[in-house]
Amino acid sequence: MKLFDSHCHLFSKTLYGKVPELIDQALESNVVGCCVIATKREDLLLIQKEIESQKIQNEKKDFQMLFSSGIHPHEAANYMPEDLNLVEEIMPHVAAIGETGLDYYYDFAPKEKQIELFRYHIELSRKSRKPFVIHCREASEDILQEIKASRIHKELEIPAVLHCSTENWEVTQKFLDLGCFISFSGILSFKKAELIQESAKKVPLERIMVETDSPYLAPAPKRGRENQPAYTKHTFDFLAQLRGAESEALSEQLLKNTYRFFNC
């Protein structure tokens, strides 16, 4: 059985210093790869460094490391023009655009600034022909509207993934109708996540991915701890039980989905 962490912040301050150890632990849990997600300039610089040196990848040849390029909506009021230059500079070497989207739960940036930055990422996706990674907090209506208005779903077979989905089935269907994939994090395993669990039962199997969003949102039974790619296994196990699926067959399908999404 092979698993892939489709979304993690492995180059975050809390995880970057122990990446080799975390990769070893991931491999012990049958997690054979991850996508390292960019959110701000510091991430982009570390991703650029690894792309150029391939130091970690050369040391850990059994582990596949993919990357994204983008600026998180939390940074929409603070990023500098040179940050966007860096996003575009490494864009040819990454598998996805983002993390992008809208967050109306936290008041870190005005809505208009977030929307402007989201539109920029959608255009990068159009230009690069690479899918984008959606962050959505209490903003699904506006995100869906922006995707429809851009018509990116008419140009790319798989325009985006709704990462760390916390949406009910009604909203999830709307993302599926636009060709999006749906990725579930450790939140899926939380006791009060009934609406998310109901969605996870119904999403077509060929559109599902799993992720950790580490170092955040560790799944049960690790909830409250620092998350890491190895914990993909716990979310996967919960999903398999939830859907009544045989683990080997489910892991094969999810890996196929992930490679299809990232075109790797």
Side-chain angles (χ1 to χ4, degrees):
M1 182 174 71
K2 295 180 180 179
L3 304 173
F4 198 103
D5 183 355
S6 69
H7 186 117
C8 67
H9 301 280
L10 199 58
F11 287 5
S12 63
K13 288 182 179 179
T14 59
L15 298 184
Y16 185 67
K18 46 191 176 184
V19 167
E21 174 188 345
L22 293 173
I23 290 176
D24 288 342
Q25 292 173 5
L27 289 168
E28 290 172 3
S29 296
N30 297 318
V31 179
V32 298
C34 72
C35 186
V36 179
I37 302 294
T39 62
K40 55 186 180 296
R41 180 174 181 81
E42 290 81 0
D43 301 336
L44 292 163
L45 288 170
L46 291 174
I47 288 172
Q48 182 184 49
K49 178 181 177 182
E50 175 58 23
I51 287 170
E52 292 175 350
S53 70
Q54 296 194 345
K55 181 178 184 294
I56 299 170
Q57 296 163 94
N58 285 333
E59 291 176 357
K60 303 294 181 181
K61 294 184 182 295
D62 293 335
F63 190 83
Q64 184 174 13
M65 188 175 288
L66 306 177
F67 305 98
S68 77
S69 181
I71 302 291
H72 196 283
H74 286 345
E75 306 296 323
N78 302 313
Y79 72 88
M80 303 297 289
E82 53 265 33
D83 298 339
L84 301 186
N85 293 337
L86 186 54
V87 167
E88 296 188 37
E89 185 177 340
I90 68 173
M91 185 171 67
H93 309 286
V94 302
I97 305 301
E99 177 175 352
T100 185
L102 303 172
D103 192 317
Y104 296 166
Y105 179 81
Y106 291 107
D107 190 25
F108 291 156
K111 289 184 179 180
E112 59 271 19
K113 287 286 188 181
Q114 293 189 49
I115 291 172
E116 178 184 349
L117 187 60
F118 185 35
R119 290 173 178 172
Y120 166 79
H121 284 87
I122 292 176
E123 288 309 308
L124 284 188
S125 181
R126 192 192 315 277
K127 178 180 178 180
S128 66
R129 316 302 294 177
K130 296 175 181 180
F132 55 98
V133 179
I134 300 171
H135 172 98
C136 177
R137 289 292 302 273
E138 299 186 2
S140 58
E141 185 176 339
D142 282 0
I143 288 176
L144 289 164
Q145 181 178 319
E146 289 297 326
I147 295 173
K148 290 176 184 177
S150 74
R151 297 185 65 81
I152 189 69
H153 60 296
K154 300 290 186 180
E155 299 182 35
L156 299 183
E157 181 184 3
I158 308 171
V161 58
L162 178 60
H163 120 80
C164 189
S165 179
T166 56
E167 303 297 339
N168 62 31
W169 176 236
E170 181 183 359
V171 174
T172 301
Q173 281 182 293
K174 294 178 180 179
F175 280 98
L176 291 169
D177 289 344
L178 295 176
C180 296
F181 277 32
I182 309 296
S183 183
F184 293 102
S185 71
I187 294 177
L188 181 68
S189 68
F190 294 178
K191 288 183 178 180
K192 296 183 179 180
E194 292 94 347
L195 290 177
I196 305 170
Q197 292 164 9
E198 186 63 28
S199 291
K201 290 178 184 178
K202 295 179 178 179
V203 174
L205 189 55
E206 66 273 12
R207 299 275 206 97
I208 297 176
M209 296 193 292
V210 288
E211 62 172 271
T212 60
D213 201 18
S214 52
Y216 318 108
L217 304 174
K222 304 292 185 179
R223 189 173 182 182
R225 302 184 190 181
E226 181 179 80
N227 206 358
Q228 59 173 293
Y231 294 170
T232 306
K233 176 80 165 55
H234 297 293
T235 300
F236 169 81
D237 287 344
F238 188 91
L239 179 66
Q241 182 178 14
L242 186 69
R243 291 182 66 110
E246 192 274 322
S247 293
E248 191 65 38
L250 181 61
S251 67
E252 288 180 7
Q253 182 63 56
L254 296 191
L255 192 64
K256 180 180 179 181
N257 297 347
T258 305
Y259 287 163
R260 182 177 171 225
F261 179 82
F262 290 118
N263 192 28
C264 63

